Amino acid sequence: MTATLERPAIESPGGMLRGAARGGIANLIGAACTGVAGVGVTWLAARALDPHAAGAFFAATATFGLGVTVAKLGLQTSLVYWPARMRAVGDLSRFAECLRVALLPVAFASVFIAAGLFVAPELVPGRPDLTRALALFLPAAAFTDVLLATTRGLRAMRPSVLLDRVMRPAAQLVLLALVWAAGWGEQVFAALWALPYVPAALLAGYALKRLKAGLRLDASDTSDFTPRRFWGFTAPRAVASFAQMALQRVDVLMVASLAGLAPAAMYAVAGRFVILGQFVNQGVAQSVQPRLAERLAVRDTAGANLLYRQSTAWVVLLCWPMYLLVFTYAPRYLSIFGEHYAGGVGVVRVLASAMLVATACGMVDIVLAMAGRTWWNLLNVGLALLVMLGIDALLVPHTGAFGASLGLAAAVLVNNLVPLAQVRGLGLHPFGRATLLACAMATACFAAPQLLLWPLHPGLLVQIAATGAGAAAYCYAAVRFREVLVHGKR
C-alpha cells in the first residue's frame, strides 16, 4: 500500500472517469459484500431473536451508530477534503499536522461518549445491557472510519474496501451465526456484532502509516490548510453528520419509544433494503469524492460536473432496478424474515418510491461539501431531520412503522431536492445524458412490464417471467450504451 505522491498533473476527462470507475468498481464489490452481510445480520436477528428482543437489538445498534457519528466530529469528510486539496496543489507538507489536529479530538470524544453510554444506558430506548455491551467498542468504530477516510483522501481505496466493506461485515456475520448456533443470549449477540471494529481500527491505522511513509512532504507554500480553516470547514459538517445519521437511526428509536419494540423491529427489517442502496451510493461516492475535491480546488467546474453526472448515472444504473423490484415483490421480500414482518408492505413501497427520487439526485450532499458549502449542508440536513421528527411525532403513535416510513420519505425528499437547487446555483447538476438514459432503461425494463401486468392480477410465475425478460433487456442495453453510461461519450 506504499505510495509516493507528487504534485499531480491535471487528469484528462477520460482518465479522470477511468480512475473513478476503477475505484468505484472496487468499492461496489465491497458494497455488495457489506450489503449481503447486512441483510444476513438482519435475517439472523429476525430469526434468532423474538420480535421484542430483535427490536431491542436494532434500537441498541441505532444508538451505537449515533454515538459513533458524534465521536467522529464530521472528520470523515474533512479528512478526504483537505488531503485531496493538498494533493491537488502539490503541497503535502502540512499533512501530518492535519492528522494531529483531527485525531486527538476524536480520541477524547469517543471515550467520553462510550463512557456515557456505559454508565447511563437507560437514557436511550431499548435494553440497557445491550447498549452497554456495544459502548465498549465505540472508540474503535470511530477511529476505523476517520482513519479510512484519510486513506481515501490520498486516493487509496483498497483499505476501505478490504477492511470496512469485506472483513468487518463478514466477521460480524460469521460471529452472529455462531451465536445463533450456540444459543447464546442477546447481550453476546450485540457484543460480537461490534467486536470486529477492533481489528478493523488497528489495520486501518497500519494502512495509513504505510501510506504516510511514502508521501513526499516538500513544501511549496500553496496549501491553504490551517487548523482554524480545518475546523471552520469541519464544525458544520460535524453537526450535519450527526443529523444525517439521525435521519437513518432516530426513526427506529422513535418507533420503539412511541409504538413498541416489535413495531420497531418490523420497521428496521422492512427498510433494510434502503441501506443496500446507500452502500452502493457510498461506494461510488468514496471513489469520486477525492477527485471531485481536486477539481473544485482548481476551479474546474466542467470536470466536476462530468464526475457528478456520470457518478449519478452509475448509481441509478445499479440502484433503480433494486428499488423497483423491491416495490414489486414487497410481500415476498418480507416473507424472507418471517411471518412477524408481513405487515411492512406499505413501509417498503413508501421508502422505495422516495429512494428512486433520491438516487436520481446523485451524491448532492457530497458535492456541496466538496465545494466548501458545509453550512448549506448543515441547514439542509437539519431541515430534513425536523421534517422527519415532526411527522414521526404526529403519525407514529397512531400508525406505527408506516407513519415512520412517511416521515423518512419526506425527509429524504427534502434532503435531496433542496441541495439539488443549491448545487444548480453553483453551475452543477446530475442530469446528463448518461443519467437520463439510465433512468429510462430501468423504467422501461423493470417498471413498465409490471405496470402493464398489474390490472391483470398476474400470478407469481408471470411476474417472474416479466422480470427475467426485463433484466435480460436491461443487461443488453447496458452493454449497448456502455460508452455513454461509463464514459459519457455521445
Side-chain angles (χ1 to χ4, degrees), residues 307-324:
L307 275 172
Y308 182 25
R309 293 175 186 177
Q310 292 303 122
S311 64
T312 302
W314 302 339
V315 175
V316 168
L317 194 68
L318 293 167
C319 288
W320 269 39
M322 178 183 67
Y323 294 141
L324 292 170

Side-chain angles (χ1 to χ4, degrees), residues 47-328:
R47 293 288 184 173
L49 308 174
D50 63 69
H52 184 88
F57 170 73
F58 292 127
T61 55
T63 301
F64 178 83
L66 289 171
V68 171
T69 300
V70 175
K72 291 186 296 186
L73 304 175
L75 291 168
Q76 67 274 26
T77 298
S78 298
L79 288 173
V80 173
Y81 177 80
W82 285 104
R85 285 181 69 86
M86 292 177 187
R87 186 182 184 281
V89 299
D91 184 356
L92 285 155
S93 60
R94 307 195 71 178
F95 177 71
E97 181 185 3
C98 177
L99 285 181
R100 288 194 301 272
V101 166
L103 297 184
L104 189 59
V106 173
F108 282 113
S110 61
V111 171
F112 179 79
I113 293 167
L117 290 177
F118 191 85
V119 172
E122 66 278 355
L123 295 180
V124 295
R127 290 256 303 269
D129 58 329
L130 301 188
T131 301
R132 184 177 283 118
L134 293 179
L136 296 172
F137 302 96
L138 191 147
F143 267 96
T144 298
D145 283 356
V146 297
L147 292 171
L148 291 178
T150 310
T151 65
R152 293 194 301 272
L154 298 173
R155 287 200 188 180
M157 300 297 159
R158 187 181 302 174
S160 290
V161 173
L162 293 180
L163 300 179
D164 195 48
R165 298 297 188 189
V166 178
M167 187 203 79
R168 177 187 57 78
Q172 288 175 321
L173 185 61
V174 171
L175 290 173
L176 295 188
L178 291 175
V179 174
W180 183 31
W184 293 332
E186 296 95 331
Q187 193 170 7
V188 177
F189 196 92
L192 291 185
W193 175 84
L195 178 62
Y197 280 107
V198 175
L202 295 173
L203 291 171
Y206 176 73
L208 180 57
K209 182 180 178 181
R210 291 284 303 275
L211 282 169
K212 185 173 177 290
L215 297 180
R216 291 186 58 179
L217 303 179
D218 301 334
S220 60
D221 296 324
T222 53
S223 174
D224 58 352
F225 172 85
T226 65
R228 182 171 181 173
R229 287 175 62 85
F230 179 89
W231 286 110
F233 176 90
T234 302
R237 188 59 189 169
V239 181
S241 295
F242 176 76
Q244 189 73 50
M245 180 57 72
L247 284 174
Q248 302 171 20
R249 304 282 187 172
V250 163
D251 47 359
V252 175
L253 298 176
M254 289 194 70
V255 176
S257 297
L258 300 176
L261 290 174
M266 186 178 73
Y267 178 71
V269 167
R272 181 57 57 179
F273 74 93
V274 173
I275 296 177
L276 295 178
Q278 290 171 341
F279 284 146
V280 172
N281 186 64
Q282 208 174 64
V284 173
Q286 285 181 354
S287 177
V288 171
Q289 192 175 358
R291 286 179 167 84
L292 186 62
E294 291 170 11
R295 290 285 168 162
L296 292 172
V298 296
R299 295 182 173 82
D300 180 10
T301 303
N305 228 347
L306 181 61
L307 275 172
Y308 182 25
R309 293 175 186 177
Q310 292 303 122
S311 64
T312 302
W314 302 339
V315 175
V316 168
L317 194 68
L318 293 167
C319 288
W320 269 39
M322 178 183 67
Y323 294 141
L324 292 170
L325 289 175
V326 168
F327 187 99
T328 301

Side-chain angles (χ1 to χ4, degrees), residues 237 240 243-244 247 376-386 415:
R237 188 59 189 169
Q244 189 73 50
L247 284 174
W376 295 9
N377 183 254
L378 170 58
L379 293 174
N380 297 336
V381 179
L383 176 62
L385 181 59
L386 288 176
N415 200 33

